[in-house]
Amino acid sequence: MTSSYIRQAFLDFFKSKGHVIVPSAPIVIKNDPTLMFTNAGMNQFKDYFLGNKQAPYKRVADTQKCLRVSGKHNDLEEVGVDTYHHTMFEMLGNWSFGDYFKPEAIAWSWELLTEVYKIDKDRLYVTVFEGDKKEGLPKDDEAFNEWKKHITEDRILMGNKKDNFWEMGDTGPCGPSTEIHYDGRSDEERKAVDGKTLVNADNPQVIEIWNNVFIQFNRLKDGSLEPLPQKHVDTGMGFERLVRVLQNKQSNYDTDVFTGTINAIEKITASPNPSKGGELGNNSSKRSIALRVIADHIRAISFTIADGQLPSNNGAGYVIRRILRRAVRYYYSYLDYKQPLLFQLVDIISKQFENVFPELSQQKDFVTKVIKEEEDAFLRTLEKGLKNIETIVAASSVSSGKTISGKEAFELYDTYGFPLDLTKLIASENSLSVDEAGFEAEMQQQKQRSRAATAIDTEDWVIVNDEVAQSEFVGYDSLEAKTKIAKYRKVKAKGKEQYQIVLEATPFYAESGGQVGDTGSLSPTLSFGEGVKILDTKKENNLIIHFTEALPNDVNAEILAKVDVEKRKSTAAHHSATHLLHAALRNVLGNHVQQKGSLVNAEHLRFDFSHFAKMTDEEIAKVEAIVNEKIRENIPVIIKQMPKEEALKLGAMALFGEKYGDIVRVVIIDPSYSVELCGGTHVGATGGLGFFKIKLETSVAAGVRRIEAVAGKAAENLIQQQFQQLASVREALKNPKDVLKAIETLSTENTELKKQIESFESKQLQSVKEALLQKVQTINGISFIGEQVEVNNADALKQLCFGLKPQLAGYVVALVSNISGKASVAIMIDDKIAADKNLDAGKIIKQNIAPLIKGGGGGQKTLASAGGQDASNLRKVIEVVKDLL
């Protein structure tokens, strides 16, 4: 039974039960401040459970791409070490939104597992919620009685709140769950130990395969529970675990979900399976772990990039970079493969999933190039890290403790991507230990800092009008609306209090699709009372939330919601400009260009796109010319609502990583030029942009370029500023006829003058050097020069040292200078003297000199320098060095 068959059988089964099969949502989460990635099958249906949106279907089923490496689901360091943890995984799910409940969900679970998949009933156990007296929650007798129709009572086990009560978060929808567990041990092991004693006991062979959650309560901030008006079913079955069970394997990695990738890794790296033909899954060798790590991580990396999340140094991008670097360090260290590997596996993954997650195969070349550039960059960093650890090992070897400190181990982890086990391995090879407790303390400090930076205290919603489920957006047609507050809540972040308000109807555009949220005001429609400023507008799932620092005086009164008109107009102009720009880039550079991100506000636009070379000046000029030609044509910007399939037939461009509904909004600027799916606001015709100008073209990530540009009023301001600068330059140059020629002449004269100054300085240094050679003192057999000299810059002190070196033997040189009131110091020591006398110029600078001049510095053992704010102790600096001799 292949993994493809198993997946399709699940979808076909629930289709036969009246479920609509929906596609996976992108793995990258947008419009939900509580999540970076889709980490459970229910994420894309969150709005339905919260009541923010009406579900289009009562029953759906899907397979969802999920990623769990952040937040409470942080298993990264366990992935590959054991047989069942993964970064990316598939979650098979069936869902009921106020339709069927426990009887149907339980019966269908049993039918699919035992009649379709033919799993041995004797190997299955189920758990139901035992109740919780503190919460006032009774035992889930309904689920218990339903299970008795299908399985013997001794296989129905009671589960506590931790295992059998699901909650979306600290607040929100929740309810009891029933889990199905599979005992994969041998018959002999099953006879020796009863399987029910191993359920939820972390036994790697007695595993949960399916969880049916019955959402029937809402958790309030004070911890109390209230019944939901509609009850829902939310199920999740780990695809990889299910395949393992049905293919009778002891490890997920021995299934055909992973074996194709693992075989490719073995072939590329010439690294045969360490189990020599046996199963890889339970082999604990470093090479086996490396194969599992790489086979897992390449899926997560590939699909997140395909869904629009590029590796970066912060947020979700940093999570992906960490996963990629973990894979690199495993093949580098344990497969002895010193060149990029991961990018060679993208083709295999894209073919494996092209019929279920086609977005990767559609962007295979782009994803491949991004991964290769990331690998190249990290391999260079890894080499630096190995050199760094050599220095640490050398220092630790001579210390009395023979220990690499926790701080050093954490720096290797945080800066160079070294896992603790790699640092421990290198340490053990050098008869050293690692302060693991210190490392863990540093790790906890970092986690606490991260949590503190993002901590938000959110109170419960205060309902003003309970008939409003979601806010109606009217801002496409009007920039003001008479409305009322539907609900509000207080939030506190970083010690600052704000309010979040949901209106019955709103003209305010909520930040999405790269376009910033509107600002404006809420004013009472009657003459009395003060209004409040809307500072920002964002989406949280499907809610439009308005941010204010205060509430209107009367939260029940009618109010006038008014958008900042000028800001909206400038923002809309820049949004329309991104559509013109996108089409022009594809025209000039080729159809491989795809939007990879954007920012649209009143001041400018920022547009990221896939392209692997810096644009030439000629290409930039062509793009600008095309956009401005379209502006002059004053083409109507036509916006239509239509079914997604119809829009795609029109040639509409959809962005990878975006979740679109069945009905989409299409922005058309000449059907032969630009047709895009877009929810943003736009001008009525391209002439409203006035003029378009590119300010900057640069690289933003591997395989991604960025253009910053302006249109409309912002473009007018830019041109005005440029002309003013040019006028100032003309005036400074005494108004020459040819400004460029005047600048070239000035540059030539400047170059000549610099050469003359350098010549004068060289002659001056030669004179100073000869004078210094006349002042050599002999101290304990060492030739010592210690003098204060007059030079123009700190580098001149080093030049003097290098100039003195060939004419001295067995020397120590200490030169100091007062340069514009600041202290500069250079110390040079002969190699033999440094070794014989145990002198280190770098240490002398840091320990003896820097405090005297209130500064800092460092360098090598034989040459070091320093700078400081206090030049009054320069003679003392020379005496300190002299005393060391």
Side-chain angles (χ1 to χ4, degrees):
M1 200 181 291
T2 67
S3 58
S4 295
Y5 172 84
I6 293 167
R7 183 192 295 112
Q8 194 59 49
F10 176 90
L11 298 175
D12 289 345
F13 176 82
F14 280 102
K15 188 175 183 179
S16 73
K17 303 296 184 184
H19 292 65
V20 175
I21 308 303
V22 298
S24 169
I27 206 167
V28 182
I29 290 277
K30 297 180 181 178
N31 298 328
D32 187 344
T34 66
L35 290 172
M36 283 185 181
F37 304 102
T38 297
N39 65 3
M42 60 74 59
N43 291 156
Q44 70 164 310
F45 308 117
K46 198 170 175 181
D47 276 324
Y48 308 151
F49 298 137
L50 289 167
N52 297 337
K53 193 176 182 180
Q54 184 66 39
Y57 314 108
K58 289 290 188 181
R59 304 177 179 186
V60 301
D62 69 347
T63 178
Q64 173 66 52
K65 294 174 295 184
C66 298
L67 189 72
R68 286 188 184 174
V69 286
S70 57
K72 67 178 181 179
H73 299 297
N74 193 346
D75 302 327
L76 182 57
E77 294 306 324
E78 298 172 36
V79 174
V81 177
D82 61 26
T83 63
Y84 52 89
H85 275 103
H86 299 291
T87 49
M88 179 191 147
F89 59 96
E90 283 186 65
M91 187 65 79
L92 302 170
N94 58 288
W95 317 83
S96 166
F97 308 116
D99 188 15
Y100 64 83
F101 206 49
K102 297 177 186 179
E104 295 89 344
I106 288 171
W108 291 338
S109 299
W110 190 253
E111 181 183 351
L112 177 63
L113 292 178
T114 61
E115 296 182 26
V116 176
Y117 290 140
K118 307 294 185 185
I119 294 178
D120 183 356
K121 298 176 184 179
D122 192 42
R123 290 180 175 271
L124 295 175
Y125 297 88
V126 299
T127 60
V128 297
F129 182 48
E130 66 185 6
D132 190 301
K133 289 184 179 179
K134 287 191 297 183
E135 296 274 2
L137 291 169
K139 171 188 168 186
D140 192 353
D141 284 321
E142 184 181 2
F144 183 84
N145 291 329
E146 287 301 326
W147 274 120
K148 286 201 299 183
K149 298 175 184 177
H150 309 286
I151 192 171
T152 58
E153 197 166 325
D154 65 320
R155 290 178 171 271
I156 307 174
L157 312 176
M158 294 298 104
N160 59 23
K161 184 169 177 284
K162 174 179 175 290
D163 292 324
N164 282 90
F165 194 88
W166 178 89
E167 305 198 52
M168 185 181 292
D170 293 334
T171 60
C174 54
S177 69
T178 180
E179 298 174 343
I180 305 171
H181 295 255
Y182 175 81
D183 187 348
R185 297 172 301 150
S186 67
D187 290 339
E188 292 76 15
E189 290 172 311
R190 291 168 62 218
K191 285 179 182 177
V193 179
D194 192 339
K196 67 182 178 184
T197 66
L198 302 177
V199 169
N200 282 329
D202 291 327
N203 185 294
Q205 300 306 319
V206 182
I207 56 174
E208 173 204 334
I209 57 172
W210 205 344
N211 189 18
N212 283 257
V213 176
F214 306 117
I215 302 175
Q216 57 191 91
F217 302 108
N218 181 44
R219 171 84 66 187
L220 300 178
K221 186 174 174 61
D222 64 5
S224 62
L225 295 169
E226 61 180 15
L228 287 172
Q230 280 195 319
K231 297 176 181 179
H232 313 289
V233 173
D234 159 11
T235 83
M237 180 154 56
F239 176 65
E240 291 79 7
R241 289 190 181 189
L242 177 65
V243 175
R244 165 183 164 185
V245 167
L246 296 179
Q247 293 185 356
N248 194 29
K249 301 294 184 181
Q250 297 298 299
S251 159
N252 296 2
Y253 294 95
D254 289 322
T255 69
D256 68 346
V257 177
F258 294 102
T259 51
T261 307
I262 289 170
N263 290 339
I265 299 167
E266 292 173 343
K267 184 176 180 181
I268 294 168
T269 62
S271 176
N273 186 328
S275 56
K276 295 181 181 179
E279 290 191 335
L280 173 71
N282 291 320
N283 194 303
S284 60
S285 73
K286 290 295 185 183
R287 292 169 77 84
S288 293
I289 293 172
L291 290 171
R292 295 196 291 266
V293 165
I294 298 162
D296 171 273
H297 287 11
I298 186 58
R299 297 198 313 167
I301 297 161
S302 298
F303 280 108
T304 46
I305 293 173
D307 274 351
Q309 181 56 64
L310 295 167
S312 66
N313 281 331
N314 51 61
Y318 183 59
V319 174
I320 305 311
R321 181 164 280 169
R322 279 182 60 213
I323 295 172
L324 186 146
R325 290 184 169 188
R326 184 171 187 256
V328 171
R329 70 200 185 206
Y330 266 92
Y331 71 64
Y332 186 97
S333 299
Y334 304 126
L335 300 185
D336 196 30
Y337 197 74
K338 310 298 186 186
Q339 61 199 63
L341 166 66
L342 300 175
F343 83 99
Q344 301 179 63
L345 304 174
V346 176
D347 183 56
I348 294 162
I349 300 296
S350 67
K351 287 177 180 174
Q352 179 180 350
F353 291 98
E354 63 184 342
N355 293 323
V356 59
F357 306 130
E359 54 275 12
L360 178 57
S361 61
Q362 292 165 4
Q363 300 177 87
K364 183 181 68 177
D365 292 344
F366 171 73
V367 174
T368 300
K369 289 177 181 177
V370 170
I371 291 175
K372 185 177 186 301
E373 289 197 24
E374 279 287 318
E375 288 187 272
D376 282 330
F378 183 55
L379 284 167
R380 291 191 293 269
T381 302
L382 197 57
E383 288 175 6
K384 290 178 185 176
L386 289 170
K387 290 177 182 176
N388 192 314
I389 201 171
E390 286 173 9
T391 304
I392 292 172
V393 166
S396 302
S397 297
V398 298
S399 68
S400 57
K402 298 276 186 179
T403 301
I404 294 175
S405 72
K407 188 172 183 178
E408 288 171 323
F410 182 76
E411 182 182 349
L412 287 165
Y413 168 82
D414 196 42
T415 305
Y416 299 104
F418 276 49
L420 182 61
D421 60 358
L422 179 54
T423 302
K424 285 166 60 181
L425 176 64
I426 295 171
S428 65
E429 290 170 350
N430 291 273
S431 302
L432 298 171
S433 62
V434 177
D435 177 11
E436 294 185 52
F439 174 87
E440 289 301 328
E442 293 284 339
M443 180 75 84
Q444 285 305 315
Q445 283 183 21
Q446 187 194 59
K447 288 180 178 178
Q448 288 167 7
R449 286 193 297 268
S450 177
R451 279 195 291 265
T454 57
I456 298 175
D457 182 22
T458 305
E459 295 189 0
D460 289 327
W461 286 109
V462 177
I463 307 298
V464 179
N465 185 345
D466 58 9
E467 294 181 3
V468 179
Q470 60 190 43
S471 186
E472 179 190 2
F473 178 61
V474 297
Y476 289 135
D477 304 312
S478 176
L479 296 185
E480 60 180 62
K482 290 182 179 180
T483 184
K484 287 187 175 183
I485 293 175
K487 58 184 177 180
Y488 66 88
R489 66 185 177 189
K490 185 187 289 186
V491 295
K492 184 184 289 186
K494 298 181 180 178
K496 185 179 179 181
E497 282 190 355
Q498 280 191 328
Y499 288 90
Q500 296 178 353
I501 298 173
V502 176
L503 302 175
E504 293 180 5
T506 178
F508 289 87
Y509 181 85
E511 178 183 323
S512 60
Q515 181 174 329
V516 298
D518 281 332
T519 58
S521 63
L522 299 179
S523 305
T525 55
L526 298 175
S527 58
F528 58 87
E530 293 184 4
V532 297
K533 288 184 178 179
I534 298 296
L535 306 174
D536 199 359
T537 311
K538 294 181 181 292
K539 273 187 180 177
E540 183 172 314
N541 301 305
N542 201 53
L543 279 183
I544 298 175
I545 296 177
H546 309 77
F547 289 73
T548 70
E549 290 182 344
L551 290 172
N553 290 338
D554 184 354
V555 296
N556 295 290
E558 183 182 65
I559 50 179
L560 179 66
K562 195 171 182 179
V563 173
D564 182 330
V565 176
E566 290 306 314
K567 181 180 176 183
R568 166 71 86 83
K569 283 182 178 178
S570 296
T571 302
H574 281 132
H575 203 149
S576 297
T578 63
H579 287 227
L580 295 177
L581 173 61
H582 193 182
L585 286 168
R586 288 170 65 84
N587 186 306
V588 173
L589 302 178
N591 288 335
H592 65 280
V593 169
Q594 296 280 347
Q595 180 177 335
K596 292 299 172 186
S598 69
L599 171 67
V600 177
N601 59 29
E603 289 75 37
H604 68 285
L605 69 88
R606 193 177 72 204
F607 189 80
D608 298 342
F609 59 98
S610 53
H611 188 55
F612 287 86
K614 178 179 173 61
M615 288 180 68
T616 65
D617 292 341
E618 292 79 8
E619 288 170 338
I620 291 173
K622 281 182 183 177
V623 168
E624 283 184 337
I626 291 171
V627 174
N628 282 309
E629 180 185 354
K630 297 298 177 185
I631 291 173
R632 288 191 297 273
E633 290 176 10
N634 199 25
I635 305 165
V637 177
I638 299 168
I639 298 175
K640 294 181 177 180
Q641 299 264 5
M642 63 180 72
K644 184 173 72 173
E645 295 307 315
E646 184 181 331
L648 296 177
K649 287 177 183 177
L650 275 179
M653 293 193 66
L655 301 183
F656 290 107
E658 289 287 346
K659 177 71 177 174
Y660 297 102
D662 293 331
I663 302 297
V664 293
R665 189 168 181 265
V666 185
V667 178
I668 304 168
I669 307 175
D670 182 349
S672 64
Y673 181 71
S674 172
V675 183
E676 292 195 32
L677 305 185
C678 178
T681 64
H682 291 271
V683 297
T686 58
L689 274 62
F691 180 70
F692 173 83
K693 182 65 182 173
I694 292 175
K695 294 168 58 178
L696 176 70
E697 190 275 347
T698 187
S699 172
V700 65
V704 179
R705 307 294 300 178
R706 170 172 291 171
I707 279 178
E708 292 185 16
V710 286
K713 183 68 174 175
E716 181 183 327
N717 292 340
L718 176 66
I719 298 301
Q720 186 65 29
Q721 290 167 10
Q722 297 291 324
F723 268 99
Q724 287 175 352
Q725 285 182 359
L726 181 58
S728 299
V729 170
R730 280 184 175 278
E731 188 177 345
L733 294 173
K734 311 299 183 186
N735 293 307
K737 289 183 179 179
D738 188 333
V739 175
L740 185 59
K741 188 174 181 180
I743 292 173
E744 289 174 347
T745 300
L746 198 62
S747 178
T748 302
E749 291 174 356
N750 187 47
T751 301
E752 291 299 322
L753 287 172
K754 280 184 176 179
K755 287 180 181 178
Q756 291 179 31
I757 292 170
E758 287 172 2
S759 177
F760 291 146
E761 288 180 343
S762 179
K763 290 175 182 177
Q764 180 195 18
L765 289 178
Q766 180 64 26
S767 176
V768 173
K769 184 187 80 172
E770 291 173 358
L772 289 171
L773 288 171
Q774 303 303 312
K775 298 181 179 181
V776 178
Q777 303 175 53
T778 302
I779 302 173
N780 289 331
I782 299 171
S783 297
F784 176 67
I785 296 177
E787 291 291 330
Q788 181 170 341
V789 296
E790 290 188 15
V791 293
N792 295 322
N793 56 68
D795 283 341
L797 289 182
K798 288 184 180 180
Q799 290 179 40
L800 280 171
C801 287
F802 287 127
L804 291 166
K805 185 175 180 178
Q807 300 183 49
L808 295 172
Y811 58 81
V812 173
V813 176
L815 301 180
V816 300
S817 183
N818 183 331
I819 303 173
S820 301
K822 294 184 178 180
S824 286
V825 180
I827 297 176
M828 182 173 67
I829 304 175
D830 178 70
D831 289 347
K832 189 171 186 305
I833 296 298
D836 292 348
K837 303 293 184 180
N838 194 28
L839 293 175
D840 186 321
K843 287 184 178 179
I844 293 171
I845 284 287
K846 289 181 178 178
Q847 297 172 9
N848 304 85
I849 306 304
L852 283 175
I853 62 174
K854 295 180 181 177
Q860 306 301 314
K861 197 169 187 177
T862 56
L863 179 64
S865 61
Q869 299 297 316
D870 187 356
S872 64
N873 287 324
L874 291 177
R875 297 305 307 176
K876 194 171 183 180
V877 167
I878 295 171
E879 293 303 318
V880 166
V881 178
K882 191 174 181 179
D883 289 345
L884 292 172
L885 308 184

